Amino acid sequence: MAPKSSTLQDVARVAGVSTATVSRTLSNPNVVSESTRTRVSEAVKTTGYRINRAARNLRTQRAHSVLVLLPDLANPFFSEILEGISRELSHRGYSMLIASTKQVHDSGERLLDYLDDARADGMIILDGGLDPDVVSMLENARQTKRILFACEWVEGADFPTVRCENRQGAREAVNHLYSLGHRKIAHVTGPEGNVLMHTRKDAFVAQISELGLELKPEWIIAGDFSISAGCAAAQAWIAMEDRSTAVFCASDQLAMAFIAELSRHGFRVPEDVSVMGFDDIDFAEQFIPALTSIRQDRLLIGETAANMLMGRIESPNTGGDEPIAIIPVSLVVRESTAAPG
Amino acid sequence: MAPKSSTLQDVARVAGVSTATVSRTLSNPNVVSESTRTRVSEAVKTTGYRINRAARNLRTQRAHSVLVLLPDLANPFFSEILEGISRELSHRGYSMLIASTKQVHDSGERLLDYLDDARADGMIILDGGLDPDVVSMLENARQTKRILFACEWVEGADFPTVRCENRQGAREAVNHLYSLGHRKIAHVTGPEGNVLMHTRKDAFVAQISELGLELKPEWIIAGDFSISAGCAAAQAWIAMEDRSTAVFCASDQLAMAFIAELSRHGFRVPEDVSVMGFDDIDFAEQFIPALTSIRQDRLLIGETAANMLMGRIESPNTGGDEPIAIIPVSLVVRESTAAPG
DNA sequence: TGAGCTTCTGCAATCGATTACATTAATTCT
DNA sequence: AGAATTAATGTAATCGATTGCAGAAGCTCA
């Protein structure tokens, strides 16, 4: 059978020192003498020693891992954020645990258990649509300092947050369409109750009015981030009395589904109507027509979130920490928008 | 500050029993008497006890978590597999760690450390393109039993594997195109050296010849699973002396990029050429034209992999375990394929 | 009645690393 | 030279749950 892997004791024996010295050599090399340092290093090599994290975690009361909580694992929007988080975490020797809110809820698992049972040192939540009950549990938890929201957030609750410039993005979208010559601009919103939906919609409305444009009520189409909502929105657009010449969708997925449905009904984008999205997911570039969108740097969002959380975990008392990071967005112009016909 | 969370000791004190009894009540309730069982349960409730996993992990020599290794976190193909894995793991009280091979390699982290340092009980690898050095390290590891490949695998190395019926899928693709009336069928392959690429290509060639069809060398277009490869393949197709009337691409992403590039050059799908993919990713349905594809049940792949691994972790000596699971595929016909013009 | 079982519970060692405190050796200072 | 300081290492307690072993209590049966 497999020989047990070696422990600090083994290394200590081989090097002829105490376990304390070995431990120190590993975690704080400059407090031991040059000679023991090399002796220990050699012993580590010959024994093939690997630290036992369970033991370390128990002793140090740290899990050296972070939980990332998604609304839905199967949604590609999040993967790049994960990449960013993971990159930053692994730099610092942390691992990344993943769970989806849906699942956690279904299995009756308590979210806080991750923190309470020493499985994770902190959590990054990518879901602003958490149950209010859950949110208030989080707020009252002992570990509030170690919870952070990214991308989405919960209005009213004050957790530190990393988010992109949603307002700015929506305004740029409107400006882009305006500068192409559009004066009748519609908006397909995200899901009711979602913070991003509200932020983007409000900014959209504000910018429309700032430009002095008309905004018919039917030009605000209620949707959500799903594919089917995009199809429904397209039908709503088709049924309009007075159709807008441009449509700003609250997400790329929505925009693509919107365009797809339109095309099934014989409309062409951008000839018949300009359509743009939000997010700039990988696929936007590949879509036909290539999608004009507002780009979120998802890698950066992930990295920033991880960074911020680690800071709070590793030095919990550094007070003046800015609890909000805002990541800039940028307009990416492609083929789905053009001057009105 | 935060009151420390309570421990077994606290529960024991409140219930008036020893820690041993509490522990037993929790893990093996039927060995303790009814009366103490209820007493302990109450004490658990009043103290708000949560088990400390670090302590349990140390004592039991289990991490109660599994590492999933991806080639690339930002690739949406994998998300649904993750969902499947995660679902199965959380049922059993395990957590899911995620890392990408790229990252692990970049950061000089040893892959086996996850197993050696008691961070994970096993790993599911979704990347068949691992460095041969790494693979042989894995083969010689103490923990070989706890490593499993899913989707992709490494030719020659014998790790347990979960994969889909790649050969069958490729044959069905050819048959589908054949039954539509196509006689000149091309194939855009995956990346050189990739097992999926070879398996699918070989099956494609075999089925073509079984049907007695001609296969010009230029009809095998070397690609990889990237978007740019799809574009390049489209240019190759356009440049062909004798163009095929149908193209079977080794992945959906490839097929979509292929179609996109074609459309930029004025070709229409399926009017000018039928195109199909492999995988049936979420977006295939939404693409224009909606993509005909070979569907892999990625959720099932994930669940199966997790199940198999857990079995091997929890009862390492159950010998006769079938070390390969094959997940069926199915043809999904949509709009991107039609009878030749 | 008391030997032999069963059932339930407690004692205490254990997993492997960290770290406060004590100890020893070496160096500096007056 | 002897006191005081510094540097390097060792001793042993500790983190919190699990579990082999043993003891106590209750039962059965001859």
Side-chain angles (χ1 to χ4, degrees), chain A residues 20-37:
Chain A
T21 301
V22 178
S23 176
R24 279 188 285 252
T25 309
L26 262 29
S27 60
N28 203 2
N30 49 320
V31 306
V32 303
S33 73
E34 172 91 36
S35 67
T36 51
R37 206 181 312 152

Side-chain angles (χ1 to χ4, degrees), chain A residues 131-260:
Chain A
D131 212 77
D133 294 354
V134 176
V135 174
S136 74
M137 289 192 61
L138 292 180
E139 284 187 288
N140 298 322
R142 276 183 287 107
Q143 318 273 21
T144 315
K145 296 270 163 74
R146 294 147 166 234
I147 299 173
L148 177 149
F149 280 75
C151 284
E152 304 193 357
W153 63 97
V154 175
E155 212 66 68
D158 82 326
F159 292 104
T161 311
V162 178
R163 53 179 88 162
C164 76
E165 276 186 328
N166 287 288
R167 304 192 60 82
Q168 175 66 15
R171 302 181 99 102
E172 278 190 38
V174 173
N175 286 340
H176 166 63
L177 295 170
Y178 181 85
S179 71
L180 285 172
H182 293 277
R183 295 298 176 266
K184 293 154 69 173
I185 305 177
H187 178 48
V188 182
T189 73
E192 183 56 44
N194 180 286
V195 282
L196 299 179
M197 175 273 192
H198 286 293
T199 311
R200 290 175 193 171
K201 186 180 87 173
D202 292 350
F204 169 83
V205 172
Q207 190 63 12
I208 287 285
S209 95
E210 191 158 306
L211 290 173
L213 299 182
E214 184 188 14
L215 178 57
K216 302 209 170 177
E218 65 173 353
W219 292 348
I220 300 273
I221 307 172
D224 55 48
F225 294 141
S226 76
I227 286 174
S228 60
C231 298
Q235 286 160 12
W237 183 85
I238 293 172
M240 277 178 189
E241 243 171 57
D242 183 14
R243 289 185 193 137
S244 69
T245 62
V247 178
F248 165 47
C249 297
S251 83
D252 283 355
Q253 195 146 28
L254 210 44
M256 293 185 199
F258 186 91
I259 294 175

Side-chain angles (χ1 to χ4, degrees), chain B:
Chain B
M1 250 319 273
K4 270 182 32 75
S5 88
S6 50
T7 73
L8 260 198
Q9 303 247 24
D10 302 322
V11 180
R13 198 175 326 112
V14 171
V17 297
S18 72
T19 61
T21 301
V22 178
S23 175
R24 279 188 285 253
T25 309
L26 262 29
S27 60
N28 204 1
N30 49 322
V31 305
V32 302
S33 73
E34 172 90 33
S35 68
T36 51
R37 207 182 311 154
T38 60
R39 211 135 38 87
V40 169
S41 312
E42 265 169 36
V44 166
K45 239 174 241 145
T46 66
T47 54
Y49 171 74
R50 297 287 140 188
I51 195 173
N52 180 315
R53 293 204 171 215
R56 192 225 284 175
N57 290 349
L58 173 59
R59 180 58 224 234
T60 61
Q61 307 283 42
R62 280 278 168 76
H64 291 275
S65 71
V66 164
L67 172 71
V68 180
L69 202 63
L70 313 179
D72 173 14
L73 250 176
N75 182 338
F77 174 78
F78 296 106
S79 19
E80 218 173 314
I81 299 177
L82 291 184
E83 176 86 31
I85 295 175
S86 161
R87 215 176 264 191
E88 202 56 33
L89 290 183
S90 77
H91 276 162
R92 311 229 203 168
Y94 277 63
S95 353
M96 180 171 77
L97 287 165
I98 302 228
S100 75
T101 44
K102 204 178 54 182
Q103 240 172 70
V104 169
H105 186 262
D106 286 357
S107 63
E109 213 179 348
R110 279 188 38 209
L111 201 46
L112 278 171
D113 281 356
Y114 278 87
L115 261 33
D116 283 345
D117 68 13
R119 243 185 310 180
D121 297 319
M123 52 203 248
I124 297 178
I125 305 181
L126 301 178
D127 182 359
L130 284 183
D131 213 79
D133 293 354
V134 175
V135 174
S136 74
M137 286 191 62
L138 291 180
E139 285 186 288
N140 298 323
R142 274 182 290 107
Q143 319 272 21
T144 316
K145 296 269 164 73
R146 296 150 164 232
I147 299 172
L148 177 149
F149 280 75
C151 284
E152 305 194 358
W153 63 95
V154 175
E155 212 65 71
D158 81 327
F159 292 104
T161 311
V162 178
R163 53 179 89 162
C164 76
E165 276 186 328
N166 287 289
R167 304 190 61 81
Q168 176 65 14
R171 303 180 99 102
E172 278 190 36
V174 173
N175 287 340
H176 166 64
L177 296 170
Y178 181 85
S179 72
L180 284 173
H182 293 279
R183 296 299 176 264
K184 292 154 70 173
I185 304 177
H187 179 48
V188 182
T189 72
E192 182 58 45
N194 179 287
V195 282
L196 299 178
M197 174 272 191
H198 286 292
T199 310
R200 291 174 192 172
K201 186 179 87 173
D202 292 351
F204 169 83
V205 172
Q207 189 64 10
I208 287 285
S209 96
E210 191 158 302
L211 290 174
L213 299 182
E214 183 188 18
L215 179 56
K216 302 211 170 175
E218 64 173 353
W219 292 348
I220 300 274
I221 307 173
D224 56 49
F225 292 141
S226 76
I227 286 173
S228 59
C231 297
Q235 285 161 12
W237 182 84
I238 292 171
M240 279 178 188
E241 245 173 55
D242 183 13
R243 289 186 192 135
S244 68
T245 64
V247 178
F248 165 48
C249 298
S251 84
D252 283 355
Q253 195 145 31
L254 210 44
M256 293 185 200
F258 186 91
I259 294 175
E261 183 70 11
L262 235 47
S263 116
R264 281 186 210 103
H265 288 80
F267 293 90
R268 309 235 33 197
V269 174
E271 291 80 355
D272 299 324
V273 55
S274 284
V275 178
M276 61 180 296
F278 201 113
D279 291 344
D280 193 32
I281 61 178
D282 287 349
F283 216 82
E285 190 174 0
Q286 219 42 54
F287 195 70
I288 311 175
L291 199 66
T292 295
S293 190
I294 301 293
R295 170 155 185 67
Q296 301 192 47
D297 190 338
R298 312 213 291 298
L299 213 54
L300 184 58
I301 292 178
E303 288 174 349
T304 308
N307 244 319
M308 222 162 124
L309 184 60
M310 312 255 33
R312 307 190 122 233
I313 289 172
E314 298 193 339
S315 48
N317 303 320
T318 312
D321 227 355
E322 188 53 67
I324 285 202
I326 306 271
I327 308 295
V329 297
S330 59
L331 173 69
V332 180
V333 179
R334 298 205 184 87
E335 303 160 6
S336 67
T337 51

